[in-house]
Amino acid sequence: MTDSNPKPQPVVFIIGAGLSGLLLAALLEKTHIPYRVFERASTVKPLGSVLSLSPPILRALDQLGLMDELKKISMPCAELTIVDANLKTIGVVSPGKNDKAISGYDSITFARPDLYDLMLRQVPAENITFGKKVLKVTEEDDKVTIHLSDNTAYECDILVGADGSYSAVRQSMYRVMSDLGTLPKADGEELVAGYSMTVGTTQPLDPEKYPQLKDNSCHFVSVIGGDRYSYNCIIVPGQRVCWSLSIQFESPEESRKELFRNSEWKSDQINPMTDVFSSFPSPYGGKMGDLIEATPKELISRVYSEYKMFKTWFHGRSVLIGDACHKMLPAAGQGAVNAMQDSVILANCLYDIEDNTQKSITEAFQSYYDQRYELAKAAYDMSGMLAKITKGQKWHERLVRTFMFNLPESIQAASQAKRCMYRPQATFLPIVPLRGTGAVLPQPPSKRYQREQEVLQKKSDTDIVAV
């Protein structure tokens, strides 16, 4: 992009090379805003299980020209079958049944490592620095300094915390606000874990042993096994199966006793949960132990499934995206979709910043917050509801599941249409034409982009006259 009246661009540091951090970096790459990504892990490991993306983020990824590659690594996923411990069907949830008709995009599922690899390729390698853990953040009137574990320090104009549930950027930001007496009490409270989970993705399997692999369908099955146990199996491209094992915590107190261990992906501590679940029946035939054995041990990881909606998303020159400001329970990809939507809207707001003053930066952050908070809060509530439907085993969660399975189809269709209305995209890139029959919520236009297009049009008209 070329601006008719160029001003100094803010230097942006992104802490965390997860999906939201990488998408923000890929978008900033299109704006020519100088940026750099810092990731505390020294290497990228292909950890994780299944991930779903729905139309509310696919339009923005389409803008980046990624749809063809996304289709290669994914499968459409219109429904989820929920069964009991004996694999008897309890009900079917169809959140993506009419997605393509409404929005022009199918909801899709893939192995999380495959999507991560694709997003990593969108960012030049020289713009990502691995093995850099943030220990402290200090801020002056016109600069932010990050202090790293290798005794180095770097300065920037804007700091983005895309570093997950236990965000170092958020913790530093909240300490400052707590000292000032401006931090809301709820933001100082700990996260709560709903489940302890172990996840993995198998190596390619034999389609003769698992005939479901021959179908062009994800065969997404959630097993509610009783006694707090539940597990999911989903077929993904490459004749592989993504699986996850869950044990539900009985209370917030129980979860807090567990959380001190760590909440991040781990590959060096194989969870004894795999032994517990090995004898359970697989929805594709055989036992879960067969799928666990077909998964390399170094690629099996453990995570606590936590949840918390933070009220404060920015302060000074620091701003949060993704799990750092709204950690959602894993359900229908709500966490990933909303984290990536944060990246799209924040990129739009950063693009329109007038200058590097604190006033302009605060206005940009406030615009980002105003556009995202209520929508993210609604998705946070929805993720909690979907988690109850797909794996909750408390009496009131069973009631919710029964209620949802008996909703009239018209109500479900209206809810789906409403979910697909919010399809934000980058306002500084050519707009992807509307597809499908569903309405779309309007977005604030980019004034800077409009100015640039006017300049280009005038130049084009002048060139034509000259010829």
Side-chain angles (χ1 to χ4, degrees), residues 19 49-58 61 70 73-80 95-96 99 106-113 115 218 220 232-236 242 330-340 386 419:
L19 292 176
S49 184
V50 74
L51 190 63
S52 299
L53 291 184
S54 54
I57 192 58
L58 293 177
L61 297 179
L70 284 171
I73 63 172
S74 69
M75 284 183 173
C77 193
E79 61 183 31
L80 158 64
D99 277 354
D106 285 310
S107 286
I108 52 178
T109 59
F110 21 47
R112 184 182 183 277
L115 176 62
C218 66
F220 196 154
N232 295 337
C233 292
I234 309 95
I235 290 172
V236 295
C242 293
Q334 290 290 321
V337 167
N338 277 269
M340 297 173 87
L386 289 172
R419 175 178 63 89

mmCIF file of all heavy atoms in Angstrom, residues 19 49-58 61 70 73-80 95-96 99 106-113 115 218 220 232-236 242 330-340 386 419:
data_model
loop_
_atom_site.group_PDB
_atom_site.id
_atom_site.type_symbol
_atom_site.label_atom_id
_atom_site.label_comp_id
_atom_site.label_asym_id
_atom_site.label_seq_id
_atom_site.Cartn_x
_atom_site.Cartn_y
_atom_site.Cartn_z
ATOM 1 N N LEU A 19 -1.790 -19.428 16.449
ATOM 2 C CA LEU A 19 -2.591 -19.114 15.265
ATOM 3 C C LEU A 19 -2.947 -17.644 15.186
ATOM 4 O O LEU A 19 -2.881 -17.029 14.114
ATOM 5 C CB LEU A 19 -3.863 -19.969 15.251
ATOM 6 C CG LEU A 19 -3.654 -21.466 15.031
ATOM 7 C CD1 LEU A 19 -4.982 -22.202 15.136
ATOM 8 C CD2 LEU A 19 -3.001 -21.732 13.678
ATOM 9 N N SER A 49 -4.628 -31.792 18.430
ATOM 10 C CA SER A 49 -5.561 -32.719 17.805
ATOM 11 C C SER A 49 -6.367 -31.985 16.751
ATOM 12 O O SER A 49 -5.810 -31.233 15.957
ATOM 13 C CB SER A 49 -6.469 -33.323 18.881
ATOM 14 O OG SER A 49 -7.326 -34.291 18.352
ATOM 15 N N VAL A 50 -7.666 -32.160 16.756
ATOM 16 C CA VAL A 50 -8.506 -31.585 15.715
ATOM 17 C C VAL A 50 -8.783 -30.113 15.978
ATOM 18 O O VAL A 50 -8.745 -29.642 17.118
ATOM 19 C CB VAL A 50 -9.840 -32.351 15.615
ATOM 20 C CG1 VAL A 50 -10.756 -32.013 16.785
ATOM 21 C CG2 VAL A 50 -10.524 -32.093 14.287
ATOM 22 N N LEU A 51 -9.047 -29.385 14.911
ATOM 23 C CA LEU A 51 -9.438 -27.987 15.000
ATOM 24 C C LEU A 51 -10.493 -27.722 13.937
ATOM 25 O O LEU A 51 -10.415 -28.263 12.829
ATOM 26 C CB LEU A 51 -8.236 -27.069 14.777
ATOM 27 C CG LEU A 51 -8.440 -25.581 15.064
ATOM 28 C CD1 LEU A 51 -8.752 -25.355 16.537
ATOM 29 C CD2 LEU A 51 -7.187 -24.811 14.693
ATOM 30 N N SER A 52 -11.489 -26.925 14.296
ATOM 31 C CA SER A 52 -12.548 -26.569 13.355
ATOM 32 C C SER A 52 -12.506 -25.075 13.073
ATOM 33 O O SER A 52 -12.250 -24.278 13.972
ATOM 34 C CB SER A 52 -13.923 -26.926 13.940
ATOM 35 O OG SER A 52 -14.030 -28.296 14.196
ATOM 36 N N LEU A 53 -12.762 -24.714 11.833
ATOM 37 C CA LEU A 53 -12.926 -23.315 11.456
ATOM 38 C C LEU A 53 -14.263 -23.181 10.729
ATOM 39 O O LEU A 53 -14.605 -23.999 9.881
ATOM 40 C CB LEU A 53 -11.791 -22.831 10.552
ATOM 41 C CG LEU A 53 -10.410 -22.706 11.188
ATOM 42 C CD1 LEU A 53 -9.418 -22.129 10.178
ATOM 43 C CD2 LEU A 53 -10.429 -21.852 12.443
ATOM 44 N N SER A 54 -14.990 -22.128 11.056
ATOM 45 C CA SER A 54 -16.321 -21.915 10.502
ATOM 46 C C SER A 54 -16.350 -20.639 9.667
ATOM 47 O O SER A 54 -15.389 -19.863 9.648
ATOM 48 C CB SER A 54 -17.341 -21.846 11.646
ATOM 49 O OG SER A 54 -16.953 -20.867 12.600
ATOM 50 N N PRO A 55 -17.452 -20.393 8.944
ATOM 51 C CA PRO A 55 -17.535 -19.229 8.051
ATOM 52 C C PRO A 55 -17.159 -17.887 8.665
ATOM 53 O O PRO A 55 -16.600 -17.047 7.950
ATOM 54 C CB PRO A 55 -19.002 -19.248 7.620
ATOM 55 C CG PRO A 55 -19.368 -20.687 7.638
ATOM 56 C CD PRO A 55 -18.639 -21.265 8.818
ATOM 57 N N PRO A 56 -17.404 -17.632 9.960
ATOM 58 C CA PRO A 56 -17.047 -16.322 10.501
ATOM 59 C C PRO A 56 -15.564 -15.945 10.403
ATOM 60 O O PRO A 56 -15.231 -14.783 10.577
ATOM 61 C CB PRO A 56 -17.500 -16.428 11.968
ATOM 62 C CG PRO A 56 -18.684 -17.331 11.914
ATOM 63 C CD PRO A 56 -18.290 -18.371 10.902
ATOM 64 N N ILE A 57 -14.672 -16.901 10.093
ATOM 65 C CA ILE A 57 -13.264 -16.530 9.877
ATOM 66 C C ILE A 57 -12.788 -16.885 8.471
ATOM 67 O O ILE A 57 -11.798 -16.338 7.970
ATOM 68 C CB ILE A 57 -12.331 -17.198 10.924
ATOM 69 C CG1 ILE A 57 -10.921 -16.586 10.871
ATOM 70 C CG2 ILE A 57 -12.275 -18.711 10.713
ATOM 71 C CD1 ILE A 57 -10.865 -15.091 11.095
ATOM 72 N N LEU A 58 -13.509 -17.768 7.780
ATOM 73 C CA LEU A 58 -13.033 -18.245 6.477
ATOM 74 C C LEU A 58 -13.021 -17.146 5.426
ATOM 75 O O LEU A 58 -12.210 -17.175 4.494
ATOM 76 C CB LEU A 58 -13.880 -19.433 6.013
ATOM 77 C CG LEU A 58 -13.715 -20.694 6.865
ATOM 78 C CD1 LEU A 58 -14.644 -21.792 6.371
ATOM 79 C CD2 LEU A 58 -12.266 -21.180 6.847
ATOM 80 N N LEU A 61 -9.676 -15.483 5.658
ATOM 81 C CA LEU A 61 -8.618 -16.350 5.131
ATOM 82 C C LEU A 61 -8.707 -16.448 3.611
ATOM 83 O O LEU A 61 -7.692 -16.590 2.928
ATOM 84 C CB LEU A 61 -8.720 -17.734 5.773
ATOM 85 C CG LEU A 61 -8.509 -17.762 7.298
ATOM 86 C CD1 LEU A 61 -8.647 -19.179 7.831
ATOM 87 C CD2 LEU A 61 -7.155 -17.172 7.681
ATOM 88 N N LEU A 70 -6.426 -24.582 2.267
ATOM 89 C CA LEU A 70 -7.253 -25.046 3.382
ATOM 90 C C LEU A 70 -8.067 -26.272 2.985
ATOM 91 O O LEU A 70 -8.218 -27.218 3.761
ATOM 92 C CB LEU A 70 -8.187 -23.930 3.852
ATOM 93 C CG LEU A 70 -7.550 -22.826 4.697
ATOM 94 C CD1 LEU A 70 -8.543 -21.685 4.906
ATOM 95 C CD2 LEU A 70 -7.100 -23.373 6.046
ATOM 96 N N ILE A 73 -6.159 -29.631 3.171
ATOM 97 C CA ILE A 73 -5.812 -30.210 4.475
ATOM 98 C C ILE A 73 -7.028 -30.442 5.363
ATOM 99 O O ILE A 73 -6.877 -30.853 6.522
ATOM 100 C CB ILE A 73 -4.802 -29.318 5.224
ATOM 101 C CG1 ILE A 73 -5.412 -27.946 5.536
ATOM 102 C CG2 ILE A 73 -3.500 -29.183 4.434
ATOM 103 C CD1 ILE A 73 -4.542 -27.084 6.451
ATOM 104 N N SER A 74 -8.243 -30.186 4.834
ATOM 105 C CA SER A 74 -9.431 -30.243 5.683
ATOM 106 C C SER A 74 -10.536 -31.091 5.075
ATOM 107 O O SER A 74 -10.445 -31.527 3.926
ATOM 108 C CB SER A 74 -9.958 -28.828 5.919
ATOM 109 O OG SER A 74 -10.496 -28.291 4.718
ATOM 110 N N MET A 75 -11.565 -31.283 5.869
ATOM 111 C CA MET A 75 -12.792 -31.929 5.415
ATOM 112 C C MET A 75 -13.978 -31.089 5.875
ATOM 113 O O MET A 75 -13.956 -30.544 6.986
ATOM 114 C CB MET A 75 -12.936 -33.332 5.999
ATOM 115 C CG MET A 75 -12.059 -34.392 5.379
ATOM 116 S SD MET A 75 -12.405 -36.005 6.117
ATOM 117 C CE MET A 75 -11.410 -37.071 5.077
ATOM 118 N N PRO A 76 -15.025 -30.988 5.049
ATOM 119 C CA PRO A 76 -16.244 -30.326 5.528
ATOM 120 C C PRO A 76 -16.803 -31.107 6.715
ATOM 121 O O PRO A 76 -16.716 -32.343 6.754
ATOM 122 C CB PRO A 76 -17.186 -30.395 4.326
ATOM 123 C CG PRO A 76 -16.322 -30.664 3.152
ATOM 124 C CD PRO A 76 -15.164 -31.459 3.659
ATOM 125 N N CYS A 77 -17.353 -30.395 7.666
ATOM 126 C CA CYS A 77 -17.911 -31.065 8.846
ATOM 127 C C CYS A 77 -19.237 -30.408 9.206
ATOM 128 O O CYS A 77 -19.261 -29.320 9.796
ATOM 129 C CB CYS A 77 -16.947 -30.995 10.016
ATOM 130 S SG CYS A 77 -17.404 -32.104 11.368
ATOM 131 N N ALA A 78 -20.313 -31.068 8.832
ATOM 132 C CA ALA A 78 -21.637 -30.477 9.029
ATOM 133 C C ALA A 78 -22.267 -30.886 10.352
ATOM 134 O O ALA A 78 -23.101 -30.171 10.885
ATOM 135 C CB ALA A 78 -22.567 -30.876 7.882
ATOM 136 N N GLU A 79 -21.866 -32.051 10.895
ATOM 137 C CA GLU A 79 -22.547 -32.513 12.105
ATOM 138 C C GLU A 79 -21.632 -33.297 13.023
ATOM 139 O O GLU A 79 -20.569 -33.788 12.622
ATOM 140 C CB GLU A 79 -23.774 -33.358 11.740
ATOM 141 C CG GLU A 79 -23.458 -34.610 10.959
ATOM 142 C CD GLU A 79 -24.723 -35.372 10.569
ATOM 143 O OE1 GLU A 79 -25.767 -34.719 10.356
ATOM 144 O OE2 GLU A 79 -24.669 -36.607 10.489
ATOM 145 N N LEU A 80 -22.075 -33.403 14.257
ATOM 146 C CA LEU A 80 -21.364 -34.116 15.313
ATOM 147 C C LEU A 80 -22.341 -35.098 15.942
ATOM 148 O O LEU A 80 -23.432 -34.709 16.376
ATOM 149 C CB LEU A 80 -20.842 -33.131 16.357
ATOM 150 C CG LEU A 80 -20.524 -33.647 17.755
ATOM 151 C CD1 LEU A 80 -19.385 -34.647 17.706
ATOM 152 C CD2 LEU A 80 -20.182 -32.490 18.682
ATOM 153 N N PRO A 95 -24.219 -28.071 13.578
ATOM 154 C CA PRO A 95 -23.937 -26.638 13.524
ATOM 155 C C PRO A 95 -23.540 -26.138 12.141
ATOM 156 O O PRO A 95 -23.683 -24.960 11.824
ATOM 157 C CB PRO A 95 -22.782 -26.471 14.514
ATOM 158 C CG PRO A 95 -22.104 -27.807 14.521
ATOM 159 C CD PRO A 95 -23.207 -28.804 14.340
ATOM 160 N N GLY A 96 -23.049 -27.038 11.272
ATOM 161 C CA GLY A 96 -22.595 -26.590 9.964
ATOM 162 C C GLY A 96 -23.455 -27.067 8.812
ATOM 163 O O GLY A 96 -23.054 -26.982 7.649
ATOM 164 N N ASP A 99 -24.247 -24.137 6.458
ATOM 165 C CA ASP A 99 -23.247 -23.064 6.412
ATOM 166 C C ASP A 99 -22.983 -22.576 4.994
ATOM 167 O O ASP A 99 -22.892 -21.369 4.751
ATOM 168 C CB ASP A 99 -21.928 -23.529 7.046
ATOM 169 C CG ASP A 99 -21.945 -23.392 8.557
ATOM 170 O OD1 ASP A 99 -22.924 -22.826 9.092
ATOM 171 O OD2 ASP A 99 -20.992 -23.844 9.211
ATOM 172 N N ASP A 106 -18.222 -23.896 3.775
ATOM 173 C CA ASP A 106 -18.476 -25.000 4.698
ATOM 174 C C ASP A 106 -17.673 -24.796 5.976
ATOM 175 O O ASP A 106 -16.554 -24.261 5.931
ATOM 176 C CB ASP A 106 -18.041 -26.332 4.078
ATOM 177 C CG ASP A 106 -18.995 -26.819 3.014
ATOM 178 O OD1 ASP A 106 -20.212 -26.849 3.285
ATOM 179 O OD2 ASP A 106 -18.523 -27.173 1.911
ATOM 180 N N SER A 107 -18.194 -25.254 7.102
ATOM 181 C CA SER A 107 -17.347 -25.421 8.281
ATOM 182 C C SER A 107 -16.400 -26.578 7.990
ATOM 183 O O SER A 107 -16.806 -27.590 7.399
ATOM 184 C CB SER A 107 -18.193 -25.727 9.515
ATOM 185 O OG SER A 107 -18.875 -24.578 9.961
ATOM 186 N N ILE A 108 -15.136 -26.435 8.365
ATOM 187 C CA ILE A 108 -14.138 -27.442 8.019
ATOM 188 C C ILE A 108 -13.346 -27.855 9.252
ATOM 189 O O ILE A 108 -13.213 -27.099 10.218
ATOM 190 C CB ILE A 108 -13.172 -26.926 6.926
ATOM 191 C CG1 ILE A 108 -12.569 -25.559 7.323
ATOM 192 C CG2 ILE A 108 -13.883 -26.821 5.589
ATOM 193 C CD1 ILE A 108 -11.578 -25.014 6.314
ATOM 194 N N THR A 109 -12.832 -29.082 9.216
ATOM 195 C CA THR A 109 -12.001 -29.599 10.302
ATOM 196 C C THR A 109 -10.685 -30.107 9.738
ATOM 197 O O THR A 109 -10.609 -30.558 8.594
ATOM 198 C CB THR A 109 -12.699 -30.761 11.040
ATOM 199 O OG1 THR A 109 -12.965 -31.815 10.114
ATOM 200 C CG2 THR A 109 -13.986 -30.312 11.687
ATOM 201 N N PHE A 110 -9.659 -30.048 10.552
ATOM 202 C CA PHE A 110 -8.341 -30.547 10.157
ATOM 203 C C PHE A 110 -7.525 -30.836 11.399
ATOM 204 O O PHE A 110 -7.883 -30.464 12.518
ATOM 205 C CB PHE A 110 -7.546 -29.566 9.301
ATOM 206 C CG PHE A 110 -7.966 -28.139 9.401
ATOM 207 C CD1 PHE A 110 -8.181 -27.539 10.628
ATOM 208 C CD2 PHE A 110 -8.155 -27.389 8.261
ATOM 209 C CE1 PHE A 110 -8.575 -26.230 10.713
ATOM 210 C CE2 PHE A 110 -8.555 -26.069 8.344
ATOM 211 C CZ PHE A 110 -8.759 -25.482 9.550
ATOM 212 N N ALA A 111 -6.413 -31.507 11.190
ATOM 213 C CA ALA A 111 -5.455 -31.693 12.276
ATOM 214 C C ALA A 111 -4.816 -30.338 12.565
ATOM 215 O O ALA A 111 -4.351 -29.654 11.653
ATOM 216 C CB ALA A 111 -4.394 -32.710 11.891
ATOM 217 N N ARG A 112 -4.815 -29.941 13.818
ATOM 218 C CA ARG A 112 -4.292 -28.620 14.187
ATOM 219 C C ARG A 112 -2.879 -28.372 13.655
ATOM 220 O O ARG A 112 -2.587 -27.269 13.173
ATOM 221 C CB ARG A 112 -4.315 -28.475 15.717
ATOM 222 C CG ARG A 112 -3.891 -27.099 16.224
ATOM 223 C CD ARG A 112 -3.899 -27.058 17.738
ATOM 224 N NE ARG A 112 -3.578 -25.737 18.250
ATOM 225 C CZ ARG A 112 -2.346 -25.267 18.398
ATOM 226 N NH1 ARG A 112 -1.305 -26.023 18.055
ATOM 227 N NH2 ARG A 112 -2.129 -24.054 18.869
ATOM 228 N N PRO A 113 -1.971 -29.354 13.715
ATOM 229 C CA PRO A 113 -0.626 -29.097 13.177
ATOM 230 C C PRO A 113 -0.622 -28.714 11.700
ATOM 231 O O PRO A 113 0.223 -27.935 11.264
ATOM 232 C CB PRO A 113 0.114 -30.428 13.416
ATOM 233 C CG PRO A 113 -0.617 -31.047 14.567
ATOM 234 C CD PRO A 113 -2.050 -30.676 14.362
ATOM 235 N N LEU A 115 -2.938 -26.972 10.034
ATOM 236 C CA LEU A 115 -3.300 -25.556 9.918
ATOM 237 C C LEU A 115 -2.157 -24.680 10.398
ATOM 238 O O LEU A 115 -1.851 -23.650 9.787
ATOM 239 C CB LEU A 115 -4.563 -25.263 10.734
ATOM 240 C CG LEU A 115 -4.988 -23.789 10.762
ATOM 241 C CD1 LEU A 115 -5.320 -23.281 9.360
ATOM 242 C CD2 LEU A 115 -6.178 -23.581 11.689
ATOM 243 N N CYS A 218 -15.817 -36.265 7.850
ATOM 244 C CA CYS A 218 -14.966 -36.246 9.045
ATOM 245 C C CYS A 218 -15.414 -37.261 10.099
ATOM 246 O O CYS A 218 -14.646 -37.600 10.993
ATOM 247 C CB CYS A 218 -14.939 -34.849 9.656
ATOM 248 S SG CYS A 218 -16.525 -34.315 10.333
ATOM 249 N N PHE A 220 -17.268 -37.124 12.812
ATOM 250 C CA PHE A 220 -16.984 -36.523 14.121
ATOM 251 C C PHE A 220 -17.908 -37.173 15.162
ATOM 252 O O PHE A 220 -19.119 -37.017 15.107
ATOM 253 C CB PHE A 220 -17.232 -35.016 14.035
ATOM 254 C CG PHE A 220 -16.639 -34.210 15.167
ATOM 255 C CD1 PHE A 220 -16.302 -32.883 14.969
ATOM 256 C CD2 PHE A 220 -16.433 -34.758 16.419
ATOM 257 C CE1 PHE A 220 -15.753 -32.118 15.988
ATOM 258 C CE2 PHE A 220 -15.884 -34.014 17.450
ATOM 259 C CZ PHE A 220 -15.551 -32.696 17.235
ATOM 260 N N ASN A 232 -13.382 -37.831 22.069
ATOM 261 C CA ASN A 232 -13.778 -37.498 20.704
ATOM 262 C C ASN A 232 -12.879 -38.205 19.707
ATOM 263 O O ASN A 232 -11.679 -38.395 19.963
ATOM 264 C CB ASN A 232 -13.669 -35.994 20.435
ATOM 265 C CG ASN A 232 -14.636 -35.186 21.269
ATOM 266 O OD1 ASN A 232 -15.646 -35.695 21.730
ATOM 267 N ND2 ASN A 232 -14.323 -33.914 21.457
ATOM 268 N N CYS A 233 -13.446 -38.534 18.557
ATOM 269 C CA CYS A 233 -12.671 -39.053 17.433
ATOM 270 C C CYS A 233 -13.157 -38.366 16.158
ATOM 271 O O CYS A 233 -14.364 -38.254 15.937
ATOM 272 C CB CYS A 233 -12.843 -40.560 17.284
ATOM 273 S SG CYS A 233 -12.108 -41.515 18.631
ATOM 274 N N ILE A 234 -12.213 -37.906 15.343
ATOM 275 C CA ILE A 234 -12.551 -37.189 14.118
ATOM 276 C C ILE A 234 -11.579 -37.611 13.024
ATOM 277 O O ILE A 234 -10.356 -37.593 13.228
ATOM 278 C CB ILE A 234 -12.464 -35.656 14.307
ATOM 279 C CG1 ILE A 234 -13.241 -35.202 15.525
ATOM 280 C CG2 ILE A 234 -12.956 -34.937 13.059
ATOM 281 C CD1 ILE A 234 -12.391 -35.054 16.776
ATOM 282 N N ILE A 235 -12.106 -37.960 11.880
ATOM 283 C CA ILE A 235 -11.260 -38.311 10.733
ATOM 284 C C ILE A 235 -10.830 -37.039 10.009
ATOM 285 O O ILE A 235 -11.634 -36.130 9.791
ATOM 286 C CB ILE A 235 -12.026 -39.238 9.770
ATOM 287 C CG1 ILE A 235 -12.215 -40.617 10.433
ATOM 288 C CG2 ILE A 235 -11.288 -39.393 8.435
ATOM 289 C CD1 ILE A 235 -13.118 -41.552 9.659
ATOM 290 N N VAL A 236 -9.542 -36.969 9.671
ATOM 291 C CA VAL A 236 -8.996 -35.834 8.929
ATOM 292 C C VAL A 236 -8.249 -36.360 7.704
ATOM 293 O O VAL A 236 -7.957 -37.558 7.618
ATOM 294 C CB VAL A 236 -8.048 -34.983 9.811
ATOM 295 C CG1 VAL A 236 -8.821 -34.333 10.946
ATOM 296 C CG2 VAL A 236 -6.881 -35.812 10.355
ATOM 297 N N CYS A 242 -7.870 -37.792 14.512
ATOM 298 C CA CYS A 242 -7.577 -36.937 15.667
ATOM 299 C C CYS A 242 -8.433 -37.414 16.836
ATOM 300 O O CYS A 242 -9.616 -37.707 16.661
ATOM 301 C CB CYS A 242 -7.920 -35.475 15.360
ATOM 302 S SG CYS A 242 -6.879 -34.704 14.118
ATOM 303 N N PRO A 330 -12.936 -25.780 24.589
ATOM 304 C CA PRO A 330 -12.862 -26.263 23.204
ATOM 305 C C PRO A 330 -14.203 -26.819 22.747
ATOM 306 O O PRO A 330 -14.652 -27.858 23.236
ATOM 307 C CB PRO A 330 -11.784 -27.353 23.275
ATOM 308 C CG PRO A 330 -11.804 -27.817 24.698
ATOM 309 C CD PRO A 330 -12.166 -26.625 25.524
ATOM 310 N N ALA A 331 -14.852 -26.122 21.843
ATOM 311 C CA ALA A 331 -16.145 -26.561 21.318
ATOM 312 C C ALA A 331 -16.389 -25.868 19.982
ATOM 313 O O ALA A 331 -16.446 -24.642 19.914
ATOM 314 C CB ALA A 331 -17.266 -26.218 22.298
ATOM 315 N N ALA A 332 -16.495 -26.666 18.923
ATOM 316 C CA ALA A 332 -16.791 -26.158 17.577
ATOM 317 C C ALA A 332 -15.815 -25.086 17.122
ATOM 318 O O ALA A 332 -16.167 -24.231 16.319
ATOM 319 C CB ALA A 332 -18.231 -25.627 17.520
ATOM 320 N N GLY A 333 -14.588 -25.124 17.617
ATOM 321 C CA GLY A 333 -13.564 -24.190 17.165
ATOM 322 C C GLY A 333 -13.785 -22.755 17.574
ATOM 323 O O GLY A 333 -13.155 -21.845 17.015
ATOM 324 N N GLN A 334 -14.632 -22.499 18.583
ATOM 325 C CA GLN A 334 -14.935 -21.127 18.975
ATOM 326 C C GLN A 334 -13.679 -20.363 19.412
ATOM 327 O O GLN A 334 -13.516 -19.187 19.088
ATOM 328 C CB GLN A 334 -15.964 -21.117 20.105
ATOM 329 C CG GLN A 334 -17.351 -21.555 19.693
ATOM 330 C CD GLN A 334 -18.037 -20.545 18.794
ATOM 331 O OE1 GLN A 334 -17.923 -19.348 18.989
ATOM 332 N NE2 GLN A 334 -18.737 -21.036 17.785
ATOM 333 N N GLY A 335 -12.797 -21.028 20.145
ATOM 334 C CA GLY A 335 -11.591 -20.350 20.620
ATOM 335 C C GLY A 335 -10.702 -19.901 19.478
ATOM 336 O O GLY A 335 -10.270 -18.749 19.429
ATOM 337 N N ALA A 336 -10.430 -20.808 18.535
ATOM 338 C CA ALA A 336 -9.558 -20.478 17.404
ATOM 339 C C ALA A 336 -10.188 -19.430 16.500
ATOM 340 O O ALA A 336 -9.517 -18.480 16.075
ATOM 341 C CB ALA A 336 -9.246 -21.744 16.606
ATOM 342 N N VAL A 337 -11.483 -19.589 16.198
ATOM 343 C CA VAL A 337 -12.160 -18.638 15.314
ATOM 344 C C VAL A 337 -12.119 -17.239 15.908
ATOM 345 O O VAL A 337 -11.799 -16.255 15.218
ATOM 346 C CB VAL A 337 -13.623 -19.078 15.058
ATOM 347 C CG1 VAL A 337 -14.426 -17.954 14.411
ATOM 348 C CG2 VAL A 337 -13.642 -20.317 14.163
ATOM 349 N N ASN A 338 -12.429 -17.109 17.187
ATOM 350 C CA ASN A 338 -12.470 -15.786 17.805
ATOM 351 C C ASN A 338 -11.083 -15.186 17.987
ATOM 352 O O ASN A 338 -10.905 -13.973 17.863
ATOM 353 C CB ASN A 338 -13.222 -15.853 19.131
ATOM 354 C CG ASN A 338 -14.713 -15.774 18.944
ATOM 355 O OD1 ASN A 338 -15.299 -14.704 18.964
ATOM 356 N ND2 ASN A 338 -15.334 -16.919 18.725
ATOM 357 N N ALA A 339 -10.096 -16.024 18.251
ATOM 358 C CA ALA A 339 -8.725 -15.518 18.336
ATOM 359 C C ALA A 339 -8.290 -14.933 17.000
ATOM 360 O O ALA A 339 -7.663 -13.869 16.933
ATOM 361 C CB ALA A 339 -7.779 -16.639 18.766
ATOM 362 N N MET A 340 -8.645 -15.608 15.913
ATOM 363 C CA MET A 340 -8.261 -15.139 14.585
ATOM 364 C C MET A 340 -9.082 -13.918 14.168
ATOM 365 O O MET A 340 -8.584 -13.028 13.470
ATOM 366 C CB MET A 340 -8.386 -16.281 13.586
ATOM 367 C CG MET A 340 -7.435 -17.442 13.899
ATOM 368 S SD MET A 340 -7.667 -18.919 12.890
ATOM 369 C CE MET A 340 -6.628 -18.511 11.486
ATOM 370 N N LEU A 386 -21.854 -25.369 24.284
ATOM 371 C CA LEU A 386 -21.523 -26.502 23.427
ATOM 372 C C LEU A 386 -20.714 -27.556 24.175
ATOM 373 O O LEU A 386 -20.871 -28.756 23.939
ATOM 374 C CB LEU A 386 -20.752 -26.026 22.195
ATOM 375 C CG LEU A 386 -21.570 -25.233 21.173
ATOM 376 C CD1 LEU A 386 -20.661 -24.643 20.105
ATOM 377 C CD2 LEU A 386 -22.643 -26.105 20.539
ATOM 378 N N ARG A 419 -25.231 -16.856 13.705
ATOM 379 C CA ARG A 419 -23.804 -17.132 13.927
ATOM 380 C C ARG A 419 -22.976 -16.745 12.704
ATOM 381 O O ARG A 419 -21.839 -16.270 12.830
ATOM 382 C CB ARG A 419 -23.620 -18.614 14.237
ATOM 383 C CG ARG A 419 -22.170 -19.074 14.373
ATOM 384 C CD ARG A 419 -22.090 -20.537 14.722
ATOM 385 N NE ARG A 419 -22.637 -21.399 13.705
ATOM 386 C CZ ARG A 419 -21.938 -21.884 12.683
ATOM 387 N NH1 ARG A 419 -20.655 -21.571 12.549
ATOM 388 N NH2 ARG A 419 -22.497 -22.680 11.799
#
